[in-house]
Amino acid sequence: MTYPDNAIEKLGFADIKTLIASKCLSEAGKELVGRIQPQTRFDQIDKFLRQAAEFKDLLENDAPLPVDHLYPIRPLAEKARVVGTFLSEEEFFYVLLSLKTVFAIIRYFNERNGQYPNLEALFEHLPIEKDIVVAIERVIDAKGKVKPNASSTLAEINSGIAKAEQEARKRIDQVFRTAQQNGWTADGNLTVRDGRLCIPILAESKRKIKGWIHDESATGQTAYIEPEEVFHLNNKVRDLEFEKRREIVRILTALTDELRPHVPLLIDYHHLMSKVDFVRAKALFATDIEGNMPELSKDASTSMVNARHPLLLLNFRSTKQTVVPLNVKIDSQDRIIVVSGPNAGGKSVCMKTIGLLQLMVQAGLLIPADPTSRIGIFRQVFADIGDDQSIESDLSTYSAHLSKMKYFSEHADAKTLVLIDEFGTGTDPLFGGPIAEAVLEMLHRKGARGVVTTHYSNLKVFASNTDGVENASMLFDNLAMRPLYILQTGKPGSSYAFEIAQKIGLSGDILKAAKQKIGVQQKKVDTLLVDLERDKKEIHDAKIAIGQKEKQLARLKEENETLQTYLEENKKTIISKAREEAREIIRNANKLVENTISGIRESQADKEKTKALRKQLSEGLNRNIGNHEQPEASKRSPQEPVAIQVGDWVKILGTDNEAQVISTAKNNVVLAMGDLRTVQKWNNVVRIDKKHAQTRSRQTHHGKITDDVANFRPEVDVRGMRTEAALYQIEKYLDKAVMMGFPSLKIVHGKGDGILRKFIREYLRKYGEVTRMEDEHADRGGEGITYAYLD
């Protein structure tokens, strides 16, 4: 699929395999990693990708998979297949631990039936043969040794050995005490020589004890003697040990015979463990590189969104640097991209990123790019990267390039991805440029897809004038003289040769002489490219600024809508309160008037009494009405200075609302009421005590929480929302649901193209409190509704 043979290595695919192999727990898993190759069958690639994606989801969101013991049991099964052989105690112990691991894995997925369908397919129709485990556990103990009672004969032998050893110890202790009493022993206790228990006897007394001398000390002063009466008992123990060994061999042989019919099943178990280890390693590596599963297409095309080079990503992480993401599209319309720009500007990294990620996807590996990326399938990947001169073949660098170009032009087709770095270099530009253009024209006629990096102006012109071939450049900040590593398609880029030379301090006279030696037309072209680069940089910065302004505008609009909603909700309450206060004023005034009339009648309209009653009525009315009028502070002119500062608490006149001052202006003051913002005139607020305000605020907050608990429903509808707004809304509801202890949250997002659903689920996987997700029942919305279950 790839040409030449070292193309995979040049693109970094071999390094990817090495990193994945380091994640494996078994040699069998590493062997599977070593056999990873890009595939061309859609169904196979799709299966491998889904298995890796499911395992990554399992690692990040589910309980750990029990993979404690992954021993290679296939060689043991092959050994057991041969009649007359037997497995050792240790080998049976490895088989036992591996079988327990296999059964634990199968039970793990059976308990989650349907949650990981592609992983479940690894062991589909694979039975749990417990008889094998029972048979082994009948013989082998928890330490990997044959049980003392594995057979009645073995139990008798062990009993005989214990009795003989006990008797031998008893006899030698008696002899040792007698020798000590007689002063025959040397310093020290009983010791072992040649596997036999002996007494240390002084050399001059060694003839006083009958027995066998097994050893002497270095000085010859001490002899180590095994007494005669103990010797026979030790021989009996030795004979029993031989009988025990023969009985253990017989037991292991019988157990191997019992295992032999299950050899094919054991090999299947071995394959399962190897595959689980293999997919697990791929998932762990995907976690390291923040890999995702892209949309897979049968077309020979690729559309990468926020793609990053995985090896660069890992290297930069250790130095806390960030990789600039790549966005590129290659399809039937824009088949070949000609990338130009300054040296060290990221052209080669861009091309290698595209090639490596394409190989990774076709090998069933997740890639560090957005899930919205769409990756097709290529039958062939041709790459010309670096210097391939050959002393053996007598090929120069340019000859090696031409050999590859010959192969590319002869074998490329519409299902081929061609990657050429520094196209046409290695010879005289006067001839290298036209040859490169002719090869590019041939590849274009054959419908090949690819990425070409170059400095040649004629290739940039060819791309500008040819449908299906697109110019692209790596952005460069020509003010700071540094690359931005951002790919932009549509226009070629300058090499910035003179600018870079000037920055590194090359002599001005040299630069002046060089500029005089290049053609006027070439100088104009390069100047135009520099200007275009500057324009692109300005447009890029403008886009970023506009995006930030749009976000700010959306936030302000949302705050305004929230404030408007708050005012609408409280409008009725304010009016109702005002009416009640008006009624109270009227009631009090009526009482005062009635009392006054009654007093006048009782005094029979006495002039002095009537005057006093009228004064009392006027004071009462002023006092009653004055309680509901605005304070004198409200009559200040807008220009009158007010002793209110940022951070003070104020009360909005005519309401019970209290707020904190967050900023001031000439005639206005901006207030914060919880999460809401409002603007009031100076003469519509009055400063209040901070302690009183905080007490009221706590009471209000407590009441708000009580209302939230009473009115909250764990359901949010985000249909029709943009992704960012939908995720913000879901986050608020998730926080409330977790705080109030709800077991789940229902999210109505609709079906459509499924894009919003994917973004929501990807977000929910990163939310620590979400334990699992599932669709609504098909009759009640199906994939248009997601249930997020909370721990």
Side-chain angles (χ1 to χ4, degrees):
M1 177 187 163
T2 57
Y3 179 85
D5 293 337
N6 64 351
I8 283 183
E9 182 179 349
K10 289 290 183 71
L11 289 170
F13 190 71
D15 296 328
I16 297 293
K17 290 168 63 173
T18 301
L19 291 172
I20 296 174
S22 67
K23 305 287 185 182
C24 291
L25 299 173
S26 66
E27 289 300 322
K30 294 179 180 178
E31 290 176 8
L32 290 179
V33 173
R35 295 203 293 267
I36 293 179
Q37 291 294 333
Q39 306 294 319
T40 56
R41 284 176 48 193
F42 178 88
D43 56 342
Q44 199 169 34
I45 296 171
D46 184 64
K47 180 181 72 173
F48 291 159
L49 286 173
R50 293 185 183 279
Q51 286 175 351
E54 288 180 359
F55 216 121
K56 179 173 176 280
D57 180 41
L58 180 153
L59 291 173
E60 294 177 351
N61 302 305
D62 212 331
L65 187 69
V67 287
D68 300 327
H69 304 289
L70 296 177
Y71 297 106
I73 61 174
R74 177 168 186 165
L76 304 181
E78 296 291 353
K79 178 181 178 181
R81 192 193 295 272
V82 181
V83 178
T85 60
F86 66 91
L87 301 182
S88 66
E89 293 172 294
E90 184 180 34
E91 290 171 337
F92 269 117
F93 190 54
Y94 287 158
V95 172
L96 177 63
L97 294 178
S98 297
L99 290 180
K100 287 184 176 180
T101 298
V102 169
F103 297 163
I105 291 172
I106 294 176
R107 282 194 299 269
Y108 182 94
F109 286 108
N110 286 340
E111 290 170 359
R112 295 158 177 79
N113 185 29
Q115 189 173 345
Y116 306 107
N118 291 280
L119 290 178
E120 291 171 9
L122 292 175
F123 54 87
E124 193 174 10
H125 309 305
L126 195 61
I128 296 179
E129 191 58 63
K130 294 183 178 180
D131 292 343
I132 306 176
V133 172
V134 172
I136 297 176
E137 287 183 332
R138 191 174 61 243
V139 174
I140 305 297
D141 62 16
K143 295 182 179 180
K145 300 296 181 182
V146 173
K147 291 182 177 180
N149 59 347
S151 70
S152 56
T153 303
L154 184 61
E156 291 177 3
I157 293 172
N158 285 324
S159 177
I161 290 174
K163 290 180 180 178
E165 288 178 341
Q166 185 178 4
E167 182 64 25
R169 183 62 189 241
K170 182 178 178 182
R171 292 283 183 90
I172 199 169
D173 283 343
Q174 291 175 351
V175 175
F176 183 55
R177 284 195 298 270
T178 301
Q180 281 182 320
Q181 291 171 359
N182 293 325
W184 299 338
T185 60
D187 293 336
N189 296 316
L190 294 174
T191 185
V192 176
R193 290 291 187 273
D194 296 331
R196 316 282 282 211
L197 200 59
C198 300
I199 300 173
I201 300 293
L202 295 172
E204 61 269 19
S205 303
K206 63 184 179 181
R207 300 297 179 190
K208 296 179 181 179
I209 295 180
K210 292 183 179 181
W212 281 262
I213 300 175
H214 286 280
D215 196 7
E216 287 186 348
S217 65
T219 61
Q221 298 297 315
T222 304
Y224 298 97
I225 298 176
E226 181 182 10
E228 183 180 29
E229 56 266 40
V230 177
F231 180 77
H232 298 294
L233 288 173
N234 283 338
N235 281 345
K236 183 179 179 182
V237 171
R238 183 68 60 87
D239 291 340
L240 289 172
E241 290 286 353
F242 287 139
E243 287 185 29
K244 177 181 177 181
R245 193 175 305 169
R246 287 192 294 271
E247 178 61 15
I248 288 175
V249 169
R250 186 195 67 77
I251 292 171
L252 294 177
T253 302
L255 183 58
T256 304
D257 293 340
E258 193 175 348
L259 188 69
R260 189 167 295 115
H262 302 290
V263 164
L265 184 58
L266 290 177
I267 294 176
D268 289 340
Y269 288 153
H270 171 84
H271 289 157
L272 171 62
M273 288 190 293
S274 303
K275 290 176 183 176
V276 168
D277 188 25
F278 169 62
V279 181
R280 175 181 174 274
K282 292 200 299 182
L284 287 171
F285 178 71
T287 301
D288 287 348
I289 63 171
E290 302 170 19
N292 294 301
M293 178 180 171
E295 296 180 27
L296 194 62
S297 169
K298 294 182 180 179
D299 302 329
S301 62
T302 186
S303 175
M304 297 182 182
V305 181
N306 291 331
R308 292 161 293 169
H309 196 291
L311 300 177
L312 199 61
L313 183 68
L314 294 175
N315 288 335
F316 276 20
R317 185 174 295 161
S318 60
T319 58
K320 296 183 178 179
Q321 294 176 276
T322 57
V323 179
V324 178
L326 170 70
N327 294 279
V328 65
K329 184 177 182 182
I330 301 173
D331 55 20
S332 58
Q333 300 297 321
D334 299 324
R335 296 194 298 273
I336 299 177
I337 298 178
V338 178
V339 183
S340 53
N343 286 321
K347 299 189 303 296
S348 297
V349 173
C350 165
M351 184 198 65
K352 289 180 179 180
T353 301
I354 295 170
L356 178 58
L357 297 191
Q358 184 65 47
L359 292 177
M360 287 177 64
V361 170
Q362 292 194 220
L365 303 177
L366 306 183
I367 59 173
D370 286 0
T372 54
S373 301
R374 185 177 177 85
I375 310 296
I377 299 174
F378 293 92
R379 281 202 301 261
Q380 302 177 111
V381 176
F382 297 162
D384 181 17
I385 303 171
D387 183 5
D388 276 344
Q389 62 179 332
S390 171
I391 296 176
E392 293 80 2
S393 302
D394 194 24
L395 290 176
S396 67
T397 300
Y398 187 62
S399 298
H401 285 313
L402 286 180
S403 298
K404 292 177 186 173
M405 294 307 105
K406 176 178 179 292
Y407 186 90
F408 291 2
S409 59
E410 290 175 352
H411 296 87
D413 56 23
K415 291 282 188 179
T416 302
L417 179 65
V418 179
L419 307 169
I420 305 176
D421 193 22
E422 300 295 348
F423 198 14
T425 58
T427 189
D428 188 341
L430 188 63
F431 303 106
I435 292 175
E437 184 177 340
V439 173
L440 183 60
E441 187 176 3
M442 174 62 73
L443 294 174
H444 172 252
R445 283 204 305 269
K446 289 199 166 192
R449 275 70 163 156
V451 180
V452 172
T453 68
T454 187
H455 289 283
Y456 285 168
S457 297
N458 66 308
L459 296 183
K460 302 175 189 177
V461 174
F462 176 79
S464 299
N465 299 329
T466 307
D467 291 336
V469 182
E470 184 75 12
N471 265 312
S473 62
M474 304 303 297
L475 284 183
F476 190 83
D477 188 343
N478 55 354
L479 296 177
M481 295 304 296
R482 63 180 181 85
L484 300 177
Y485 306 109
I486 298 173
L487 178 71
Q488 277 205 344
T489 57
K491 295 179 182 178
S494 170
S495 297
Y496 288 93
F498 287 106
E499 288 80 2
I500 294 174
Q502 184 177 359
K503 182 185 178 184
I504 65 174
L506 199 63
S507 169
D509 293 337
I510 296 176
L511 291 175
K512 184 178 179 181
K515 289 179 180 179
Q516 291 174 350
K517 293 179 182 296
I518 65 173
V520 176
Q521 189 65 29
Q522 179 62 36
K523 191 184 298 184
K524 288 181 179 180
V525 170
D526 203 58
T527 302
L528 178 61
L529 290 176
V530 171
D531 292 340
L532 288 174
E533 196 75 24
R534 186 183 299 111
D535 292 342
K536 284 193 296 183
K537 175 67 168 55
E538 291 176 358
I539 292 172
H540 178 72
D541 293 342
K543 283 183 177 178
I544 294 176
I546 290 171
Q548 292 175 346
K549 291 290 185 182
E550 287 179 347
K551 289 182 180 178
Q552 185 178 6
L553 180 61
R555 180 176 58 80
L556 292 174
K557 182 181 177 183
E558 184 178 355
E559 289 181 358
N560 182 55
E561 290 175 352
T562 304
L563 180 58
Q564 192 172 5
T565 302
Y566 172 81
L567 293 175
E568 288 293 333
E569 290 176 351
N570 289 275
K571 183 178 179 181
K572 293 181 179 179
T573 304
I574 295 170
I575 293 173
S576 176
K577 187 173 182 181
R579 286 175 177 169
E580 182 61 34
E581 289 176 353
R583 292 192 191 98
E584 184 67 22
I585 291 171
I586 292 171
R587 282 196 297 269
N588 292 336
N590 287 337
K591 287 181 181 178
L592 285 171
V593 171
E594 289 174 0
N595 291 335
T596 302
I597 292 171
S598 177
I600 292 173
R601 286 175 178 173
E602 289 177 359
S603 64
Q604 296 180 355
D606 182 82
K607 187 175 181 180
E608 292 298 325
K609 285 249 183 182
T610 300
K611 185 178 180 181
L613 287 170
R614 284 179 176 174
K615 183 180 179 182
Q616 185 179 353
L617 172 62
S618 178
E619 291 175 354
L621 287 173
N622 289 333
R623 192 168 52 250
N624 190 33
I625 296 173
N627 290 336
H628 301 278
E629 288 181 344
Q630 293 183 359
E632 191 65 25
S634 66
K635 299 178 183 178
R636 291 191 299 263
S637 64
Q639 289 77 20
E640 183 179 350
V642 183
I644 295 178
Q645 299 177 351
V646 174
D648 288 345
W649 284 85
V650 298
K651 180 178 179 181
I652 301 174
L653 298 176
T655 72
D656 281 338
N657 294 326
E658 297 170 353
Q660 190 174 22
V661 179
I662 58 176
S663 66
T664 60
K666 183 177 180 182
N667 297 324
N668 300 324
V669 58
V670 182
L671 307 177
M673 294 188 295
D675 294 332
L676 302 179
R677 303 290 184 271
T678 183
V679 178
Q680 297 288 336
K681 295 291 185 182
W682 282 102
N683 58 2
N684 199 32
V685 297
V686 60
R687 189 172 181 272
I688 60 174
D689 182 62
K690 181 177 179 182
K691 182 177 180 182
H692 171 71
Q694 289 176 340
T695 305
R696 288 287 304 272
S697 176
R698 284 194 295 268
Q699 292 171 349
T700 304
H701 179 66
H702 177 74
K704 185 175 183 298
I705 292 177
T706 305
D707 291 342
D708 284 348
V709 173
N711 300 326
F712 179 73
R713 291 184 60 204
E715 177 179 339
V716 56
D717 189 341
V718 295
R719 287 176 294 183
M721 293 187 183
R722 294 175 62 184
T723 302
E724 185 178 351
L727 294 182
Y728 175 73
Q729 192 71 5
I730 290 170
E731 183 179 14
K732 292 198 300 184
Y733 271 75
L734 272 173
D735 291 341
K736 287 185 179 181
V738 171
M739 181 182 70
M740 298 178 190
F742 283 92
S744 65
L745 177 65
K746 179 181 178 182
I747 303 169
V748 182
H749 46 68
K751 296 180 180 178
D753 295 329
I755 296 175
L756 183 58
R757 175 179 181 268
K758 285 185 179 180
F759 274 107
I760 290 172
R761 293 215 169 188
E762 194 67 27
Y763 167 77
L764 291 175
R765 290 189 184 98
K766 299 176 183 178
Y767 205 95
E769 284 76 8
V770 177
T771 57
R772 62 188 177 90
M773 294 168 283
E774 64 180 30
D775 293 335
E776 174 62 278
H777 190 275
D779 295 339
R780 296 190 293 275
E783 295 182 352
I785 299 174
T786 293
Y787 275 95
Y789 290 92
L790 311 173
D791 59 5

